[in-house]
Amino acid sequence: MGENMRKKRAAVFAACAGVAVAASGATVAASGATVALSGGADATPVKAASAKGPIKHVVVLFDENISFDHYFGTYPNAANTDGTKFTAASHTPKANTVQNAGLIRSNPNLYNPFRLSSKQAVTCDQNHSYRPEQKAVNDGKNDKYVENTSVDTCTGQYGAPGLAMGYYDGNTVTGLWNYAQHYAMSDNMYSSTYGPSTPGALNLIAGQTYGVHAVDPKTGKPATDSYVLSGANAKGVGTVTNDPDPAYDDCSGKNHTSTNNLAVMDGKNIGDTMNDAGVSWGWFQGGFAPSTAYAGDGTYAQCKTSHTNIAGASSVDYSPHHNPFEYYKSTSNPHHLPPKSTAEIGHNGQANHEYDLTDFDKALAAGTMPAVSFLKAGEYQDGHAGYSDPIDEQHFLVDEINKIQQSPEWSSTAIVVTYDDSDGWYDHRSSKVLTGAQDASLNEPMCTAVKEPVTASGPQDDRCGPGPRMPFLVISPYAKPNSIGHAPLEQASVLTFIEQNWKLPQLGNGSFDARAASFGSLLSGSPKADTVLLNADGSVQSVTPPSKGKGKGKQS
């Protein structure tokens, strides 16, 4: 590499650091310099906030691109013609499914919903962009999916006419159906806004998609890019509706060699408030550990570790735009530096709470699982159609959940399984629009009929939502066994629970944590649920009745 190019690339992070206002005074020096972060290893210790109730640990397993009806459209009725046999308990409560709504044989879409077998697990990826999803919902009629989101043909994966109408049952997603049988599930949970992965990930940790700046990957200077941001104001601040890569990540934009602009977010996320309160936490993602480590000035860490799915197709594990904390300077780990020790995981240090998925397993085995953990599978196991599938996803879910259930922390843990977006898969339900938009070029009339939110920073356009309905399960000794909650929830409901459980302030500036209800309604005041370990195929391995005592898991 020439010296001029080396210096030019080294300046990118330094330039990026000046684009956004740091939420907690963090600074990112030039590539090759030490990353100095507020609350780092040498910072003054903060007295840890105590959990308000019996839940001392929250683990969020955040998977990809599933609508509620796509996985639970006939729950608890499985065909049992293929895959793993599933038999429901006789007292299983009724869910709001497409089958119970009578819409399988007579549906307003161009095609009726149809069952996908376990042999059709690897399918085409559907269109899950911001406006096509709005068009599919069609002002609550939910009748335009085939025209707007269905992708029926692709290379090397299963396709069919009107594929977006396809759904699986308990013979394929057996593990999730069994978890729903023994723990709690919501049939009324929605993405906080319409759109693909990045908006969903940002809504999970910040309840906010507004506040993005576009950044030139070569110079780090502000840029104008409608793909990165929409509804930009005079200062070049807008809303994320697509999947731009984060600027504070060496592995973004093919190691910053792409011509695609990168994204930086203003404001605070839940990581900032947990840091302020001394609550241990971490984001753990498959493939975050670099395949080639950062080597100093003028270099970038590389993330090229890959795996194959059940169809033999290979994909790189780490996806930068699936990691929401890397968009914020205060909670980023640009060079993918590892923690210096297992004891550091969840606490301040050079990794800055950003870790590889294997680090979670190390902390769990050591008995030091953080109070709040977000787990993201490598791409081949995250459930995203096109490169993943429900069977590979199930392997990830069962493996991680079994490990947690076999740890001492299980007695005080709530595991959440939910998703970033719907992938454009059909769902017969949609939410009333609560947050509208004025940008008619990007939004349907159902969105523009509702005013966009206005905060102290000004209008926040293109945040139409809530968006599509998605699965949401809570697996915990405190979950209400074999129950289905109907209270409205959204992605930001995870934020609300964390804030209330650890007595943290709301994020403000239009964050959806102000309107989102906590998922606490799915929990009981004492341990009632069995400990249910599953096999790799999702079938039940063992069932242990709950302890009569209250949870006393160790909080790290």
Side-chain angles (χ1 to χ4, degrees), residues 22-47:
S24 59
T27 59
V28 179
S31 178
T34 300
V35 180
L37 296 145
S38 177
D42 299 324
T44 302
V46 178
K47 184 179 180 180

Side-chain angles (χ1 to χ4, degrees), residues 94-169:
K94 189 175 182 179
N96 192 342
T97 67
V98 65
Q99 184 178 62
N100 287 335
L103 291 171
I104 289 185
R105 294 185 178 180
S106 179
N107 193 282
N109 282 273
L110 291 179
Y111 292 90
N112 286 335
F114 57 93
R115 180 181 182 272
L116 295 165
S117 76
S118 59
K119 295 180 180 179
Q120 297 164 338
V122 182
T123 69
C124 301
D125 183 23
Q126 305 301 286
N127 186 348
H128 47 288
S129 297
Y130 180 71
R131 190 166 192 179
E133 286 186 346
Q134 295 176 28
K135 289 182 177 181
V137 166
N138 193 25
D139 200 16
K141 300 181 185 69
N142 305 301
D143 61 355
K144 298 295 181 184
Y145 277 85
V146 175
E147 301 95 318
N148 293 291
T149 66
S150 195
V151 177
D152 301 344
T153 60
C154 53
T155 301
Q157 296 140 20
Y158 179 77
L163 183 60
M165 304 299 292
Y167 64 85
Y168 295 102
D169 69 10

Side-chain angles (χ1 to χ4, degrees), residues 51 53-59 369-371 404 407-415 475-478 497 501-502 527 550-556:
I55 301 300
K56 310 300 182 187
H57 300 85
V58 172
V59 182
M369 181 172 73
I404 297 168
S407 74
E409 285 81 8
W410 165 242
S411 62
S412 61
T413 294
I415 301 170
I475 302 165
S476 172
Y478 290 87
F497 182 88
N501 198 54
W502 278 276
K550 291 186 177 181
K552 297 180 180 179
K554 179 181 178 181
Q555 182 181 6
S556 56

Side-chain angles (χ1 to χ4, degrees), residues 235-313:
K235 296 181 180 179
V237 181
T239 303
V240 180
T241 58
N242 290 304
D243 284 333
D245 277 355
Y248 303 117
D249 195 321
D250 277 4
C251 298
S252 288
K254 295 182 180 178
N255 298 108
H256 294 256
T257 60
S258 171
T259 58
N260 295 331
N261 290 323
L262 304 175
V264 169
M265 286 294 292
D266 281 347
K268 282 193 171 186
N269 62 61
I270 192 66
D272 296 311
T273 55
M274 287 191 290
N275 283 341
D276 291 343
V279 177
S280 61
W281 70 277
W283 175 273
F284 303 87
Q285 186 165 343
F288 189 83
S291 54
T292 301
Y294 168 71
D297 187 14
T299 73
Y300 291 96
Q302 296 185 32
C303 303
K304 296 183 178 180
T305 303
S306 63
H307 284 86
T308 57
N309 63 19
I310 58 169

Side-chain angles (χ1 to χ4, degrees), residues 69-84 86 114-118 167-175 177 390 394:
D69 277 337
H70 185 56
Y71 271 6
F72 290 95
T74 65
Y75 179 79
N77 304 310
N80 286 328
T81 59
D82 57 85
T84 304
F86 176 86
F114 57 93
R115 180 181 182 272
L116 295 165
S117 76
S118 59
Y167 64 85
Y168 295 102
D169 69 10
N171 304 137
T172 302
V173 289
T174 318
W177 280 38
Q394 181 170 267

Side-chain angles (χ1 to χ4, degrees), residues 450-539:
V450 180
K451 291 183 179 180
E452 82 260 9
V454 179
T455 69
S457 61
Q460 299 182 354
D461 206 0
D462 302 327
R463 295 176 68 207
C464 181
R469 190 171 65 142
M470 299 179 299
F472 190 93
L473 293 87
V474 178
I475 302 165
S476 172
Y478 290 87
K480 297 177 181 177
N482 196 6
S483 65
I484 297 173
H486 308 296
L489 299 176
E490 59 182 280
Q491 285 160 332
S493 294
V494 174
L495 282 178
T496 303
F497 182 88
I498 293 170
E499 289 166 349
Q500 293 178 357
N501 198 54
W502 278 276
K503 295 171 282 189
L504 307 178
Q506 290 185 336
L507 292 168
N509 193 35
S511 171
F512 292 131
D513 63 357
R515 78 176 183 200
S518 163
F519 64 79
S521 60
L522 300 176
L523 300 171
S524 60
S526 60
K528 297 184 184 303
D530 299 330
T531 299
V532 181
L533 301 180
L534 301 185
N535 296 306
D537 66 356
S539 61

Side-chain angles (χ1 to χ4, degrees), residues 61 63 357 375 377 381 392-400:
L61 278 64
D63 281 354
L357 187 60
L375 273 58
Q381 287 188 321
D392 280 305
E393 178 196 2
Q394 181 170 267
H395 294 161
F396 161 71
L397 293 174
V398 169
D399 183 55
E400 292 297 341

